[in-house]
Amino acid sequence: MDGASINRPDEEDLRRRRRASELLARAELFSGLDRVTLAKLAANLDPVSFRKGEAACNQGEKGDSLYLVSEGTFGVYVRGTDDKPPVRVAELTRGGCFGEMALLTGEPRSATVLADGDGELLRLDQERFTELVRRDPNIGLALSASLSRRLGAASRTIKDSEHLIRDRVERQLDALTAEQRANVLRVSVLDEANEQSLAVLFGADGADVAARLADLGWDEGRAPAAVVSALRAAHARAFGPDNVAAYARETIEKLSNAECWQDALTVAETFAPREKFVALFGRALRAGAELSSDKILHWLQWLTEEEAASDPVLAAGRDALRQAQVAAEPAPEISFRQRLLNFSNRLRNKPGQIVSVALSVVFVAAAIYASTSSKPAAFVLLLAGAIILWIAAIFPEFVVYLGLVVAWVFLGIAKPSEAVAGFGSTSWISIFAILAIGTALAESGLVFRLGLLLVRRLPKGLIAQGAAYLASGLLLTLLVPASAARARLLLPTALAAAQSQRFKDRSPESAFLGLSAFIGAGPLLYTFLNGSSSNFLGLGLIPEAARAQFDLAFWFVAAAPLAAFVSIGSLAALWFILKPGTTQQASHAQVDLQLSLLGRTTGNEIVMALILIALVVGWNIGPSFGINPAIVGLASVVAAALAGCLNRQSLNDLNWDFLVSFGVVLSLPPIMTALGIDAQISNAVRHTIGNASLHPAIFVLATALLNIGTRFLLPRGQTVLLLAIILIPVAPVFDVHPWIVVITVLATFTLWVLPNQSVSYVVAYESSEERMFSHEQARKVCFAFIIVTLVGLLVSMPYWRWLGLV
Ligand code: CMP
């Protein structure tokens, strides 16, 4: 292939990308964004070219994008309600943005935007825009600033045009005779000047006055508001305010005597004292005045209660109005779709929710009853009530957990210090430190940069690429302790890799890369202890003595063969199921733009990399020097904060729902042991199986299958909790170390047969902009993943036996 023909478009592309990068970094709208967010945003901007005179958007159309001018000049044109040609209200140059109004309000486009010459825009679609505004308050602020400036400019335009009208009115008045001018000025006390009123006020001169008014822009007896206010100002200047008021009183008198009620009342509304207006309104109604319904409504609403009560006619009018309003009370505007949704939600949720709340109340009542005779029974009943509430998902998780603590103490199941002991445990401190450091790492941009560098250095073959993404997901486990957060970081870079090779959306190649990245980032979370809060949760639930040997290193040693088997098996399954083709020459323009927006490696990134290395080393060698890993974790949090990589906001943004719940979970095992519940469970199982010797592998398989079933009912954390509570005491009966229960549950609980089953899957799907794989493709892979994992568990048994865990 001709090298130049490949390179030239790339170079052109690169040049454009560079300019786009400068533009984004300088654009006012994005001025509040940090460089990491900006670099992520860059992947979502599509350049669109325009020729002179072409429209980027048309007034009145529905809007679905925001635009940023990257080349050329664009004019904003607004068309009025009349047939006059559109007015050019603004000009947008490089860095300017438009199209935000329709996106924010849902109204049609407020203006037409045309290219003055050849130009280019960067287009951001509605979904990304909304996401950005939601995530970043700075964008909202920048948008309000831009809208306020536009409103200010529009107000100035209105003021300018009022000046112009005033000048024109005064010139026209100057051209009139003194008498004509006086008559025209007098008319300004009226909002409308119909022929009848003019005849009443000016007699035979009425027709002449009407002609003069038409010259001034009066149309069918109505004046433009700006002309009336110019005339009123001139009237006051020429005759003085007192004379204007006296003339207005005279006008009201004349018009009401001639039964021109509507005009009389309109003048009275502006110029007469309130009580005079109220009296006149009553007179008019009694006289059976023909008033427009708009005016009647307006005036009746304008009256106070006392004013209405002062005259029986007005009181009757108000009553009639109120009754009419009640009868015609418009139903709140709800779209048909919304109604349908509300209805189906009611059907789906209400009965279920009522039943679950009622059931859990029954369990709590039973627990209260049982607490006098048997504390363990009360404990189990409370837990059952909590599980029902978790399944129904009516309240946030932490509420149910905290409710448990309160109930334990009230029912005398645990002392207050025992019920909240988990919060003071080193496990809780460790997970807190891991979450905080994970946030600081993500915010520093280090992880995103590594992801982009990976795209730059991706191997050629697709299998190697899939393996690279899966491995990156796994390695990220060391840096980012939450699978959803890893998916969010990794999938956009996988998408960038797919785009740079021009893979079609949801093609087998694209799905292969995307799902490899997802499996590395999500389901393999058990590879490293700090890969997920669930790992800590599981570990926290096994007895203290059994837990001691599982530091970061031993956990990895024990989990590695299973993880390796599942990784290789999943890649093979992906290949077999998706049957991808081959790769093509990649273009790195987009990634280069993102890297250039990230800029040079910052101090924060370097500091965070160092802290991370120190943390991992500290975790592993600290204990041999008598330093607790939790304290190493806290030291790293302090270091990150002192270095300015972790601020109060990042701390507030931690997953406190989980942290609060986790504190309660950690309090559970000692309480259960004190109550003798775990001993009772294991005795019961021992009793049931009697002397039959069951193979440990059967126990492991049963655990896995039980877990897969439970995951269709309960969220991840609660599945681990429930199964660990029930199965950990049983494990010794089968000569299995409790950790094996934990790893089995962890290895089989990230399922995505139903998309909503796993948060990390949903995040992966969305972070790949729904472009890398379909749910259909993913579901097939999920079944294969389950089989591979089950086989992996069996294959790992001899190794675990060798480690002394079976
Ligand atoms: P939108 O209504 O979505 O589509 C047309 C866009 O033109 C609008 O958003 C604004 O971004 C822009 N626009 C409308 N009126 C003005 C104005 N007076 N000055 C500057 N820009 C405007």
Side-chain angles (χ1 to χ4, degrees):
M1 211 186 290
D2 180 352
S5 69
I6 295 171
N7 283 337
R8 211 171 295 127
D10 261 9
E11 275 164 19
E12 169 68 9
D13 216 20
L14 201 62
R15 194 188 60 77
R16 268 164 70 173
R17 294 281 170 195
R18 275 225 183 90
R19 276 179 63 78
S21 137
E22 287 162 24
L23 169 73
L24 278 184
R26 283 212 321 258
E28 207 171 341
L29 181 61
F30 302 134
S31 59
L33 293 186
D34 61 85
R35 61 201 171 84
V36 182
T37 314
L38 209 55
K40 287 184 186 156
L41 171 70
N44 296 307
L45 292 169
D46 302 317
V48 197
S49 298
F50 289 85
R51 305 229 92 117
K52 183 176 162 57
E54 273 181 345
C57 69
N58 287 301
Q59 188 174 343
E61 278 177 3
K62 200 175 166 308
D64 61 1
S65 324
L66 172 90
Y67 296 96
L68 196 67
V69 180
S70 63
E71 311 266 355
T73 319
F74 288 75
V76 182
Y77 295 85
V78 177
R79 186 170 13 89
T81 43
D82 44 33
D83 300 330
K84 298 205 183 89
V87 181
R88 183 176 174 109
V89 291
E91 189 171 284
L92 297 164
T93 52
R94 191 169 152 74
C97 105
F98 65 90
E100 76 291 355
M101 293 186 185
L103 299 193
L104 290 170
T105 61
E107 306 257 323
R109 294 286 191 203
S110 62
T112 297
V113 181
L114 301 174
D116 283 347
D118 289 352
E120 187 194 69
L121 298 174
L122 298 178
R123 181 180 166 279
L124 181 70
D125 71 27
Q126 169 135 36
E127 212 174 308
R128 303 287 151 227
F129 171 75
T130 315
E131 192 186 304
L132 205 64
V133 173
R134 202 175 300 132
R135 244 196 352 231
D136 205 302
N138 286 321
I139 295 250
L141 285 176
L143 277 175
S144 351
S146 135
L147 287 172
S148 306
R149 267 195 301 277
R150 279 176 191 174
L151 186 63
S155 307
R156 277 195 297 282
T157 313
I158 293 172
K159 271 210 198 93
D160 289 351
S161 55
E162 276 174 357
H163 271 298
L164 290 176
I165 290 171
R166 186 166 296 182
D167 289 350
R168 198 196 57 178
V169 166
E170 288 191 350
R171 271 201 311 279
Q172 282 176 306
L173 287 174
D174 285 345
L176 300 178
T177 65
E179 199 193 342
Q180 280 175 328
R181 187 163 53 237
N183 284 346
V184 166
L185 288 180
R186 285 175 162 171
V187 175
S188 71
V189 298
L190 299 171
D191 284 357
E192 288 184 25
N194 61 33
E195 271 174 37
Q196 199 192 352
S197 301
L198 290 178
V200 170
L201 294 175
F202 303 107
D205 289 341
D208 180 56
V209 174
R212 301 287 77 80
L213 291 176
D215 292 343
L216 281 163
W218 242 266
D219 191 13
E220 296 189 353
R222 282 168 181 270
V227 175
V228 171
S229 85
L231 282 177
R232 280 189 185 160
H235 191 190
R237 270 201 310 278
F239 294 93
D242 290 347
N243 283 329
V244 171
Y247 179 71
R249 277 197 299 279
E250 193 188 313
T251 307
I252 298 167
E253 189 73 29
K254 278 191 187 165
L255 289 174
S256 53
N257 287 343
E259 303 214 322
C260 295
W261 294 110
Q262 182 150 323
D263 285 350
L265 282 165
T266 310
V267 180
E269 183 186 349
T270 316
F271 292 95
R274 243 189 118 94
E275 67 277 9
K276 287 261 163 52
F277 168 82
V278 175
L280 190 66
F281 190 22
R283 249 179 79 197
L285 289 181
R286 252 188 299 278
E290 273 185 31
L291 303 174
S292 76
S293 49
D294 282 357
K295 287 276 185 187
I296 296 187
L297 205 67
H298 164 65
W299 286 324
L300 280 176
Q301 280 169 338
W302 197 47
L303 295 179
T304 63
E305 288 300 327
E306 293 86 61
E307 284 167 348
S310 69
D311 186 331
V313 182
L314 296 181
R318 273 283 276 240
D319 277 349
L321 174 72
R322 205 166 294 134
Q323 279 163 15
Q325 277 173 340
V326 172
E329 188 89 322
E333 272 297 323
I334 304 178
S335 71
F336 178 67
R337 203 181 105 80
Q338 192 59 44
R339 261 181 242 192
L340 212 64
L341 254 168
N342 290 350
F343 181 66
S344 70
N345 278 348
R346 258 207 308 277
L347 272 191
R348 202 176 47 227
N349 294 338
K350 266 259 176 75
Q353 293 194 344
I354 293 170
V355 170
S356 14
V357 171
L359 259 179
S360 56
V361 168
V362 169
F363 274 108
V364 172
I368 295 173
Y369 179 75
S371 66
T372 48
S373 53
S374 160
K375 302 287 178 209
F379 177 90
V380 171
L381 287 167
L382 280 179
L383 200 61
I387 288 170
I388 291 168
L389 289 180
W390 283 322
I391 296 178
I394 308 172
F395 310 111
E397 271 171 36
F398 78 94
V399 178
V400 181
Y401 279 105
L402 291 183
L404 274 179
V405 170
V406 174
W408 290 337
V409 175
F410 271 139
L411 300 188
I413 293 170
K415 291 199 205 88
S417 57
E418 292 165 347
V420 297
F423 290 96
S425 66
T426 48
S427 298
W428 193 89
I429 300 292
S430 292
I431 192 72
F432 163 76
I434 286 172
L435 291 182
I437 290 295
T439 305
L441 266 170
E443 282 178 2
S444 74
L446 179 66
V447 181
F448 190 53
R449 182 188 301 280
L450 293 178
L452 292 177
L453 290 175
L454 171 71
V455 181
R456 294 284 287 117
R457 291 181 186 34
L458 216 50
K460 264 217 177 114
L462 197 56
I463 296 190
Q465 291 186 3
Y469 268 101
L470 194 140
S472 308
L474 270 181
L475 283 179
L476 264 186
T477 347
L478 275 174
L479 312 188
V480 185
S483 51
R486 285 194 294 274
R488 180 164 293 137
L489 288 166
L490 193 60
L491 268 290
T493 70
L495 178 66
Q499 285 174 334
S500 70
Q501 298 174 81
R502 306 213 160 73
F503 292 163
K504 287 213 182 66
D505 286 356
R506 300 178 174 200
S507 62
E509 297 76 32
S510 191
F512 181 78
L513 268 197
L515 287 168
S516 303
F518 161 64
I519 289 178
L524 287 171
L525 51 82
Y526 55 85
T527 313
F528 296 101
L529 171 58
N530 56 327
S532 163
S533 44
S534 304
N535 298 351
F536 283 89
L537 199 135
L539 192 60
L541 286 168
I542 67 181
E544 187 80 49
R547 201 189 304 163
Q549 77 188 107
F550 280 92
D551 59 6
L552 199 69
F554 187 70
W555 178 295
F556 177 69
V557 168
L562 176 63
F565 182 90
V566 175
S567 302
I568 295 168
S570 301
L571 276 178
L574 276 168
W575 190 264
F576 183 70
I577 291 171
L578 296 167
K579 304 189 176 59
T582 51
T583 57
Q584 291 170 11
Q585 174 106 26
S587 147
H588 293 132
Q590 178 94 16
V591 176
D592 288 337
L593 167 66
Q594 293 180 292
L595 278 170
S596 80
L597 279 168
L598 272 184
R600 301 165 78 96
T601 315
T602 62
N604 276 6
E605 287 174 64
I606 296 170
V607 169
M608 282 317 298
L610 292 176
I611 289 180
L612 188 74
I613 294 169
L615 180 63
V616 174
V617 171
W619 265 333
N620 286 294
I621 65 165
S624 19
F625 295 94
I627 307 172
N628 188 295
I631 303 306
V632 177
L634 279 191
S636 68
V637 173
V638 172
L642 287 180
C645 301
L646 186 71
N647 56 27
R648 208 175 280 183
Q649 186 58 45
S650 337
L651 204 65
N652 288 345
D653 289 345
L654 293 187
N655 185 351
W656 286 102
D657 184 7
F658 169 76
L659 280 169
V660 169
S661 309
F662 189 53
V664 181
V665 167
L666 289 173
S667 312
L668 270 170
I671 296 180
M672 283 179 58
T673 311
L675 294 173
I677 294 179
D678 40 6
Q680 281 184 25
I681 295 179
S682 60
N683 283 341
V685 174
R686 230 183 277 272
H687 187 73
T688 314
I689 56 172
N691 285 334
S693 77
L694 282 179
H695 196 277
I698 295 181
F699 174 67
V700 167
L701 269 191
T703 303
L705 293 175
L706 193 62
N707 183 45
I708 292 169
T710 315
R711 276 295 281 115
F712 281 91
L713 280 181
L714 276 181
R716 262 170 44 168
Q718 281 68 265
T719 307
V720 177
L721 174 65
L722 184 67
L723 293 186
I725 286 178
I726 298 174
L727 296 173
I728 285 176
V730 181
V733 180
F734 294 92
D735 284 333
V736 168
H737 190 282
W739 180 82
I740 304 282
V741 173
V742 172
I743 195 84
T744 306
V745 170
L746 292 171
T748 47
F749 81 175
T750 310
L751 301 182
W752 57 102
V753 176
L754 309 174
N756 282 337
Q757 247 181 317
S758 145
V759 177
S760 57
Y761 172 76
V762 175
V763 170
Y765 183 71
E766 280 167 8
S767 308
S768 64
E769 298 179 21
E770 306 179 9
R771 288 163 70 171
M772 297 202 78
F773 49 87
S774 65
H775 291 319
E776 204 45 53
Q777 287 166 321
R779 185 171 303 131
K780 285 186 199 148
V781 172
C782 180
F783 287 122
F785 177 82
I786 293 176
I787 294 171
V788 169
T789 305
L790 290 179
V791 177
L793 284 168
L794 294 182
V795 171
S796 305
M797 293 296 285
Y799 174 71
W800 286 333
R801 181 172 311 232
W802 180 72
L803 281 183
L805 297 173
V806 178

